[in-house]
Amino acid sequence: MAQAPLPTAKRRPKLAELISDDIKRWIAAESLGEGDRLPNEKALMELYGSAKATVREALKILEVEGLITLKTGPKGGAVINQPGMEPASRMLRNFLHFQQLDGRQVYQLRKLLEVELAASVVGRLTEDDYRQLEANMTACTCCGGEEDHRRQRFLELEFHQLLARACPNPLLAFMCQFLNDMLRDLVVIKKAYVPERKQFDHANQDYHRQLVAAYRADDTQRVREIMAEHMADAESHMSALEAEMAAQMLIQSDVLDSHHRSKLHDFLTDNTAV
């Protein structure tokens, strides 16, 4: 009778990890914010009954996560930071890059979330926000040449990032900014700015102009309609681009295979003649 495999043992967290987690809970419970200080090393050693090396390792974990800054000197110590979204976004994107993510999967979420985000900022945009959105649209219309096509894709995504920064829901803002970062990565990896796609460029610019006009009119329903159309149109262009690139790769593969078959044929013919 075959013996059942032993269950995989879970790694027990290190004491430094447990301490860092407890400090995070304490920060949240006390509603501490940027600039506030943690107790010094000696106090933490007494609190947790731990060696200095363990406490320092716990603080280093928090520093790597962007939650604190460790300062040296007489007035040094651990100072709390307001973490930015970029480190978390980068780690998630690194994870997803190994999952063979494609544009269709990104747009499955983006079509839902961008519409909700767009509606959430109606009435919240300042004149400075409008100036940035209009400057973005102007920059898009001035792009030309291959390098500018790449820049244009980034500018089009930045238009949506500007809206996300005005969103009152931090979770929704994070999710939309994260998806835009994923698309930016796909643009670079798949060279989604080659070949030139004037129809896509004009469609994006037109949707952005319509959105700004709807925001100016405080028309939430119109904003929803425009953004929903915009996302559906963007998804269709992304799907067409990926299909085109897949076809090009298939043709290149066929040419390469044909070249190898030809070399093999020549080799076999020469050896048969001998």
Side-chain angles (χ1 to χ4, degrees):
M1 184 175 179
Q3 185 177 1
L6 293 173
T8 303
K10 291 185 178 180
R11 184 183 74 86
R12 295 180 62 183
K14 297 168 63 177
L15 180 56
E17 294 171 339
L18 295 174
I19 292 174
S20 68
D21 287 343
D22 193 61
I23 292 174
K24 282 188 277 190
R25 285 192 291 270
W26 177 73
I27 290 172
E30 296 296 323
S31 300
L32 300 181
E34 187 164 9
D36 290 330
R37 291 177 175 272
L38 296 183
N40 60 32
E41 283 185 1
K42 184 178 180 180
L44 291 172
M45 289 165 60
E46 292 175 356
L47 176 63
Y48 292 106
S50 300
K52 180 184 288 189
T54 302
V55 167
R56 286 188 172 179
E57 185 180 355
L59 293 175
K60 193 65 180 178
I61 291 171
L62 296 174
E63 184 182 41
V64 170
E65 292 178 353
L67 193 60
I68 65 170
T69 298
L70 295 176
K71 297 185 177 181
T72 58
K75 295 184 179 180
V79 181
I80 297 172
N81 293 327
Q82 175 70 40
M85 72 157 284
E86 177 53 31
S89 174
R90 183 168 57 250
M91 289 181 67
L92 283 172
R93 292 186 339 253
N94 288 342
F95 166 74
L96 288 171
H97 285 324
F98 289 93
Q99 310 303 311
Q100 304 300 316
L101 197 70
D102 60 25
R104 180 188 59 81
Q105 293 165 322
V106 174
Y107 274 96
Q108 188 176 9
L109 280 178
R110 196 171 187 237
K111 286 187 297 183
L112 300 173
L113 298 184
E114 280 287 345
V115 174
E116 293 304 316
L117 183 140
S120 76
V121 301
V122 173
R124 301 183 63 90
L125 297 175
T126 65
E127 281 304 315
D128 185 58
D129 292 328
Y130 283 119
R131 279 193 292 271
Q132 291 185 62
L133 291 169
E134 287 162 1
N136 175 280
M137 293 187 294
T138 299
C140 276
T141 61
C142 297
C143 291
E146 180 176 315
E147 184 58 31
D148 270 2
H149 295 326
R150 180 176 183 270
R151 178 170 175 266
Q152 182 161 358
R153 293 285 86 82
F154 288 174
L155 284 169
E156 290 161 355
L157 290 170
E158 178 60 21
F159 180 94
H160 294 271
Q161 301 290 51
L162 291 170
L163 295 180
R165 290 172 198 138
C167 178
N169 182 332
L171 180 59
L172 181 58
F174 174 83
M175 292 301 298
C176 288
Q177 290 184 74
F178 170 71
L179 291 174
N180 289 331
D181 287 341
M182 283 297 311
L183 284 173
R184 185 188 62 196
D185 292 347
L186 289 174
V187 164
V188 174
I189 293 168
K190 299 187 176 184
K191 291 193 173 182
Y193 49 91
V194 180
E196 183 178 355
R197 305 183 75 85
K198 284 293 185 185
Q199 185 180 359
F200 189 28
D201 298 344
H202 294 324
N204 284 334
Q205 292 164 22
D206 185 53
Y207 281 121
H208 290 178
R209 282 192 295 267
Q210 290 184 59
L211 279 168
V212 170
Y215 278 123
R216 290 279 192 188
D218 286 337
D219 191 339
T220 303
Q221 183 57 36
R222 184 64 182 140
V223 165
R224 282 184 173 276
E225 292 170 355
I226 296 167
M227 187 60 83
E229 291 178 13
H230 181 19
M231 291 297 99
D233 182 75
E235 181 185 29
S236 68
H237 281 287
M238 177 63 81
S239 297
L241 175 67
E242 290 185 330
E244 182 178 339
M245 295 184 69
Q248 289 177 355
M249 290 178 66
L250 186 61
I251 291 171
Q252 291 172 357
S253 177
D254 287 345
V255 170
L256 187 62
D257 287 347
S258 176
H259 175 67
H260 286 164
R261 284 195 299 270
S262 177
K263 291 178 67 176
L264 179 60
H265 178 268
D266 292 343
F267 174 79
L268 292 173
T269 300
D270 293 342
N271 280 275
T272 301
V274 174

